[in-house]
């Protein structure tokens, strides 16, 4: 897929969790396209966030598409819970489970979009055999686990190579980039053929998150 305008997905990892639902509401009102939700289990990544109950509460707060990014071991055991909680999209890291093909297929069988997240150190070939059954890929431009990290240079180039793989396979693929993104990098992402920019700190750590969303949407529209 290539959307006309880069989608801006607000990643709640960087928000004030004491005001989680107000913050989701604020970025929804500001026009963010999607809400990106980072689920971390303290095992696959050292950090720990939340589970399906919080995702379900976020679901009740916004009508925007919910992009659930699972950074957990044995993701296959949890996929159904996140779909039940209201996820529209569920992404797994292929190294967290033995049978990614099976789990991605099960996400699709539930009528949701299936995604695969690729760490900076993961070869793009990890997705090659899965392309026919994957709706989207998250190119990680930081190592997963925390918000506020520095963008890893070369990530746009990886996205370009991934686009070529999808073109060669004659399959449509939505490409997202996750980590260290800010308004300045939005046009570069668009130029690299990236469909979705995920941003946490650049939105929620800004003095005015709603204004930050507007700036990003503006950058995405030129
Ligand atoms: C990192 C998460 C990201 C994170 C990005 O593991 O997958 O979604 O929220 O945060 P920023 O935009 O602050 O780099
Ligand atoms: Zn994420």
């Amino acid at each position: 897929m290539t959307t006309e305008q880069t989608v801006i997905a607000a990643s709640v990892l960087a928000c004030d969790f004491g005001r989680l639902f107000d913050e989701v509401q604020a970025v929804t009102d500001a026009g963010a396209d999607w809400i990106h939700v980072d689920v971390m289990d303290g095992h696959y990544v050292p950090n720990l966030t939340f589970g399906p109950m919080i995702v379900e509460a976020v679901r009740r707060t916004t009508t925007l598409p919910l992009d659930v990014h699972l950074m957990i071991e044995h993701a296959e055991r949890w996929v159904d819970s996140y779909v039940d909680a209201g996820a529209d999209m569920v992404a797994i890291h292929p190294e967290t489970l033995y049978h990614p093909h099976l789990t991605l297929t099960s996400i699709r069988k539930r009528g949701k979009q299936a995604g695969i997240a690729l760490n900076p150190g993961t070869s793009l070939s990890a997705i090659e055999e899965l392309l026919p059954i994957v709706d989207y890929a998250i190119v990680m431009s930081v190592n997963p686990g925390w918000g506020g990290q520095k963008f890893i240079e070369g990530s746009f180039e990886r996205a370009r190579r991934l686009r070529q793989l999808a073109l060669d396979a004659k399959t449509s693929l939505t490409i997202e980039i996750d980590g260290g993104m800010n308004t300045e990098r939005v046009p570069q992402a668009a130029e690299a053929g990236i469909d979705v920019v995920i941003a946490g700190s650049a939105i929620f750590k800004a003095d005015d998150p709603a204004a930050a969303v507007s700036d990003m949407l503006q950058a995405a529209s030129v």
Side-chain angles (χ1 to χ4, degrees), residues 1-3 6 156 159-160 163 173-176 186-196:
M1 157 182 142
T2 306
T3 47
T6 314
F156 290 142
R160 280 199 175 88
R163 175 64 70 207
L173 181 73
T174 297
I175 300 181
E176 308 182 10
V186 170
Q188 298 167 29
E191 209 179 292
I194 289 163
D195 304 292
V196 182

Side-chain angles (χ1 to χ4, degrees), residues 59-72:
R59 170 74 294 159
R60 280 186 278 119
T61 308
T62 182
T63 54
L64 294 181
L66 280 191
D67 179 21
V68 175
H69 178 186
L70 297 181
M71 286 162 272
I72 60 175

Side-chain angles (χ1 to χ4, degrees), residues 11 13 36 38 40 69 71 140 144-148 178-180 198-201:
S11 175
L13 184 63
H36 179 86
D38 290 307
M40 303 183 186
H69 178 186
M71 286 162 272
M140 294 303 299
W146 293 272
D178 189 8
I198 298 163
S201 308

